[in-house]
Amino acid sequence: MRGEREQNCLNRVRDNWREASIYGLSQKDIDIIANGVFHAVPNCESSKFPDFIFEGGFIEHFQITSSHTSKKGALHQKEYAYYREKTDKEISEFQKEMNEHPSFDEVQERSWCFKQPEHSYENLVKSFESVWKNHIDSLKKYSGCSKDGIFLIEYPEFALAMCENIYGNVKEGLRYDDLREQQSFKAYRLSRDKRMLDFLYEYRELVKYIIYVYYGGCEIINLKHIPELKKLLPWDFAIYPLIVGNVETMYGISISNRNNEEPE
């Protein structure tokens, strides 16, 4: 059976299927992907490519990161795992302390904070291309049906934002009002990244579709029609890191159980 991470990502696509953004797909393409998403089953050979199989094709899942990576993995995931383990332990201890030493006259409070490490677009590109090529190598060795191949790419971090650079070549110091609305996103969107779209287009004969799952939703892209998408992207996007922190606070106050009090 597949791992929990792969299955959770596929389940997320299933749950949000109607809200997915679709780029360059005909109705026939949509039907093919829907068949794959809702009828794919885990590969019985759990250690081998691909993660999921359906009639006519496969779904292969992998994650990308915009944090620094080493042989030990992504720094973001490593630091967050340490924070999560430490915080969960302290939360459990705080709950136990409140039960053993109740406070009836004041609210007890504890807070924990995680500041994510530095992220960058260049890290994302490096991660994307490296992991992608590894999975392409596995695909080339795959002897099963690959007619309708789907790569399920997950970017689980909320770390990069994007802004359309529509004013890069116009004269400064002038007003342009609503002549052209600028697109901006508080999450990295693969559909707007022409550099990565060009990279993916090179593999259109091997992989037919991309399902990109990110913090705010998911995108479905037909690699064959990437040139058509780019016609609607006249400007590049500036991609920059966000400064993000995670704060958790727990409050507790004890309430007397009057049902256990003896009557006067």
Side-chain angles (χ1 to χ4, degrees), residues 2 43 45-53 58-62 132 134-146 149-151 206-207:
R2 288 289 111 176
N43 188 343
E45 297 184 89
S46 59
S47 62
K48 294 185 178 181
F49 181 98
D51 292 314
F52 304 96
I53 299 170
F58 66 85
I59 299 176
E60 174 70 357
H61 167 273
F62 61 85
W132 173 276
N134 286 338
H135 287 265
I136 287 293
D137 288 341
S138 297
L139 169 59
K140 290 178 178 178
K141 301 173 185 176
Y142 179 54
S143 59
C145 181
S146 59
I150 302 172
F151 272 13
L206 294 172
V207 180

Side-chain angles (χ1 to χ4, degrees), residues 8 10 34 44 61 63-64 113 117 129 147 165 169 199 207 210 218 228:
N8 285 344
L10 183 58
C44 60
H61 167 273
Q63 286 188 346
I64 56 176
C113 178
E129 293 184 352
K147 181 172 68 73
N165 188 24
N169 296 317
F199 172 79
V207 180
I210 293 294
C218 67
E228 298 301 315

Side-chain angles (χ1 to χ4, degrees), residues 215-263:
Y215 188 85
C218 67
E219 301 180 332
I220 304 174
I221 301 172
N222 185 336
L223 269 61
K224 180 181 178 180
H225 293 145
I226 283 176
E228 298 301 315
L229 307 187
K230 290 180 61 183
K231 292 177 183 179
L232 300 176
L233 297 171
W235 291 280
D236 293 331
F237 278 75
I239 304 172
Y240 51 92
L242 296 169
I243 300 175
V244 179
N246 178 58
V247 178
E248 300 176 56
T249 304
M250 176 174 285
Y251 302 92
I253 188 168
S254 301
I255 301 174
S256 175
N257 186 352
R258 297 185 180 277
N259 292 331
N260 292 334
E261 293 182 359
E262 295 183 3

Side-chain angles (χ1 to χ4, degrees), residues 105-172:
D105 56 352
E106 65 178 357
V107 176
Q108 300 182 68
E109 176 185 344
R110 293 282 179 84
S111 293
W112 301 267
C113 178
F114 172 73
K115 184 180 179 181
Q116 65 183 27
E118 182 179 352
H119 287 252
S120 74
Y121 173 62
E122 290 305 319
N123 284 339
L124 181 77
V125 171
K126 182 179 179 181
S127 171
F128 197 124
E129 293 184 352
S130 175
V131 180
W132 173 276
K133 290 176 181 178
N134 286 338
H135 287 265
I136 287 293
D137 288 341
S138 297
L139 169 59
K140 290 178 178 178
K141 301 173 185 176
Y142 179 54
S143 59
C145 181
S146 59
K147 181 172 68 73
D148 297 320
I150 302 172
F151 272 13
L152 176 58
I153 305 171
E154 183 179 10
Y155 177 48
E157 301 156 355
F158 181 61
L160 297 180
M162 308 179 74
C163 184
E164 192 177 20
N165 188 24
I166 67 174
Y167 300 112
N169 296 317
V170 299
K171 187 174 181 179
E172 296 183 2

Side-chain angles (χ1 to χ4, degrees), residues 188-200:
Y188 172 76
R189 302 284 298 272
L190 180 59
S191 61
R192 268 68 171 183
D193 187 350
K194 291 194 284 185
R195 174 178 175 179
M196 292 313 304
L197 290 176
D198 286 341
F199 172 79
L200 294 174

Side-chain angles (χ1 to χ4, degrees), residues 3 28 40 56-57 76 81-82 86 100 156 172 180 199 206 212 246 264:
K28 180 180 179 181
H76 180 109
Y82 172 77
K86 181 175 180 291
E100 294 179 352
E172 296 183 2
R180 173 64 165 82
F199 172 79
L206 294 172
Y212 168 64
N246 178 58
E264 297 181 357

